[in-house]
Amino acid sequence: MSEALDGSRQMQRLRVAVDAPAHSGIAGPLDYLSERALTPGTLVTVPLGRRELTGIVWDDAEPADEPLDASQLRDIGASLDALPPLSPNWRALLDFSAAYYQRSVGEVALSVLPPQLRELDGKKLQARLKKLDKWTAAVEQARPDPAAAAALRPELSPAQAEALAQLDGLLAPAEAAAAPPPLLLYGVTGSGKTEVYLRAAEHALAAGRQVLVLVPEINLTPQLEARFAERFAGHRIVSLHSGLTPAQRLQHWLAAHLGRAELVLGTRLAVFASMPRLGLIVVDEEHDPSYKQQDGARYSARDLAVYRARLEKVPVILGSATPSLESWQHAQPVSPPAPQTQQTAPQGGEGLLGSGPAKPSKSRYQLLRMPERIGGGALPRVRIFDMNTLPRNKGVTTALTAPLIEALRVRLERGEQSLVFLNRRGYAPVLHCTECGWKSECPHCSAYRVFHKGDRTLRCHHCGFTERVPDACPDCGNQDIAPLGRGTERLEEQLAAALPGARVARIDADSTKHKGALEAQLGAVHAGEVDILVGTQMITKGHDFRRITLVAAVNPDGALFSSDFRAPERLFSLLMQAAGRAGRDAEQAARSEMWVQTWHPQHALYKALARHDFEAFAKSQLEERESAGLPPFSHLALLRAEARTAEAAQAFLAAAAQWAQGQPEAQQLLIYPPVPMSVARVANVERMQMLVESASRAALQRLLWQWMPELHALKREHKGLLRWAVDVDPLAI
Ligand code: ADP
Ligand code: ZN
Ligand code: ZN
């Protein structure tokens, strides 16, 4: 301890990011005093109110800050000096994420670190490090001889070779002055995108760098991990996702943070992994909505991956057969701005994905195309089946049309597999009384409870309220209550009845609740123990099924008429993904088919699907979006409010809108009237939302930034209000 001559202690003022919830109104790090100089990025404990919290030394207090009376500041407690500090880049990523998604930096930073890190002290860390040493040694012992490893690498297809050649130029050394542009790897399903990721990772590893690979769903991590583990035997690979135990999560995080892990594979949370030698980021299935976090800090891991790559000056590969329209638009040549267009966006504003001035005729993202399947396999032929051609009152009541049953039978006879896709789980979405019209409404939500036949329950998929199915109508006592509509459970039952002897299996959130269930079920499909696989979108993504020659979407029309402007984009990519499960084996590709049963066969979306024409679909969608002023041609934020009454939620939003209208940014913004959310009431809470739109991302960000403290204050005035939240770049509206 150093004593100054006048007897006062020599103290340093430091700013510490603490895990204070957003509603406390704390946005930035807090000031504390420390006797010792602490490197920014060091984990510490600090007092806040009567509590002791974990914090991260964020930076030195700026000299320009208002001089604070040091006696008002409290001392930093213990510090975990044995752990290398979190890097300036990591903190910059977190600073940006918190600011962009309107949260406090400490809240975001602490929420993305493994919870057990808070309990770590010098001794526990030592024990962990010994463990890591053992792991490192064990992995290295298992390193196969280079010849055996090389034998696993297939010869690249011309498209893959071309993609990698372009990539090579971008895997620049760390000293490179500028960040390479993000790469959009647009490759049809089965074009071998994963092989491109593997080769790119090889390059980065050879240069001594770490590689981060993101996948949208935890279900897809084992498959990807297996592929990477096989190729990179003897390399240190860890996964980061919510399925890990707290101890595993800490261990994997430490391995990445200490530079021990060379490859980190994970879901959206992994975008925040601390990786001191990061050299490459891969975002597989970049269009997938799962990359958007739906509570707390509602971040997009895909967008943050792009931001992080720019920050660290490393390449990022965004891979997809159906890129998001945002990414697709970024990969189109930018035409010089027409003279008459008004430049509303201020230059150099807070920018995600580059809101800076566009350079003429150069795209922001570099586009790499892989238009063909490996081995010359064709994409399945798409049959848009017109439900209107069925005789009325016959085919109409069943989703399983006679021609589809026939097509399934043919596959069965040939010993091939089929996949039947319906995006609705349970037996039937509604149960109803044929006498009095009673329906299985949820008493707590504006939604029906779904009939699950397996355990004879009525279950609300929104609030979880579950009851046994009544024997008779609760209103009139009629015994004849019947299911309306169809979910995967019922489809499974109907398929089994229509095709006796067929081995039908179902995969959805219900069938895979237990740990290991999904792996076992997928294993059975791969082993050929299943003839017909029924399921939700869970089975349409990513899986490399080898024996499927028929994929059928039995009832996809709903999304055509959704109020959400992204619904067509979603449906198109979902159906393309589903089609991508068929004919992956080149020998079977020629007779592979995708069936789409629809009442609207003339719809442009289905026309484009039948031609596998993503580009035409994207073009028409982008034209619509542009004329309607929707993303990616504008930027959105949603303000949501929840209250016991719709009036209270509405009043809060109206007051918020009124305040915003008074701001100078308002002339660059469009604030829509508050509306109920699509499921307005959940668990007896009324939910409203209000959309804010602007052509200028910077103006929107400025408004949000000023709005936050105002909204905190407004909440206190609106007694009936329970919660509010801001969703920047919302995915579903
Ligand atoms: P995508 O991710 O584009 O859907 P995958 O990477 O899963 O495609 O590749 C499809 C299949 O082709 C996989 O079984 C993969 O092992 C195989 N494959 C990829 N590249 C090659 C290649 N150059 N030569 C032979 N097989 C390949
Ligand atoms: Zn009744
Ligand atoms: Zn409910």
Side-chain angles (χ1 to χ4, degrees), residues 214-220 242 266-271 283-295 297-303 324 537-538 541 570 573-574 731-732:
L214 301 181
V215 284
E217 298 226 0
I218 190 169
N219 305 329
L220 295 173
S242 58
T267 48
R268 60 176 179 260
L269 180 74
V271 76
V283 185
D284 191 22
E285 310 289 1
E286 68 88 28
H287 63 278
D288 199 292
S290 306
Y291 282 120
K292 186 83 158 65
Q293 168 82 9
Q294 293 300 349
D295 55 34
R298 293 173 158 79
Y299 63 88
S300 156
R302 190 261 326 275
D303 292 351
S324 65
Q537 59 175 334
M538 212 176 205
K541 293 186 187 178
R570 286 261 172 83
S573 72
L574 198 57
L731 265 196

Side-chain angles (χ1 to χ4, degrees), residues 8 163 205 321 362 413 477 492 536 599 605 694:
S8 70
L205 293 184
K362 214 176 161 279
E413 280 161 9
E492 178 189 16
T536 54
W599 297 93
L605 188 150
S694 178

Side-chain angles (χ1 to χ4, degrees), residues 442-447 449 459-465 681-683:
C442 175
H444 311 296
C445 305
S446 43
R449 280 175 297 165
R459 254 189 264 163
C460 176
H461 287 187
H462 298 280
C463 72
F465 180 65
R681 187 166 51 100
V682 168

Side-chain angles (χ1 to χ4, degrees), residues 386-445:
D386 184 356
M387 298 289 277
N388 301 292
T389 61
L390 292 174
R392 290 270 157 191
N393 305 326
K394 261 188 107 192
V396 175
T397 50
T398 169
L400 286 177
T401 60
L404 177 57
I405 301 269
E406 193 44 42
L408 289 165
R409 192 192 314 281
V410 169
R411 263 63 194 195
L412 205 55
E413 280 161 9
R414 285 208 295 254
E416 296 165 4
Q417 292 177 318
S418 302
L419 185 157
V420 183
F421 159 63
L422 177 65
N423 222 2
R424 177 174 260 166
R425 65 194 170 88
Y427 189 84
V430 191
L431 210 58
H432 84 135
C433 167
T434 49
E435 276 299 313
C436 75
W438 170 86
K439 283 184 176 159
S440 56
E441 265 167 61
C442 175
H444 311 296
C445 305

Side-chain angles (χ1 to χ4, degrees), residues 234-297:
H235 286 271
R236 298 182 298 275
I237 307 177
V238 296
S239 59
L240 275 178
H241 52 73
S242 58
L244 302 177
T245 65
Q248 282 171 331
R249 199 169 144 200
L250 176 62
Q251 196 70 5
H252 293 190
W253 185 89
L254 281 173
H257 175 63
L258 298 169
R260 302 282 188 94
E262 300 168 279
L263 286 144
V264 177
L265 312 181
T267 48
R268 60 176 179 260
L269 180 74
V271 76
F272 294 108
S274 164
M275 298 171 72
R277 302 192 317 278
L278 182 65
L280 171 71
I281 308 178
V282 172
V283 185
D284 191 22
E285 310 289 1
E286 68 88 28
H287 63 278
D288 199 292
S290 306
Y291 282 120
K292 186 83 158 65
Q293 168 82 9
Q294 293 300 349
D295 55 34

Side-chain angles (χ1 to χ4, degrees), residues 179-190:
L183 289 177
L184 181 59
L185 181 61
Y186 161 52
V188 298
T189 50

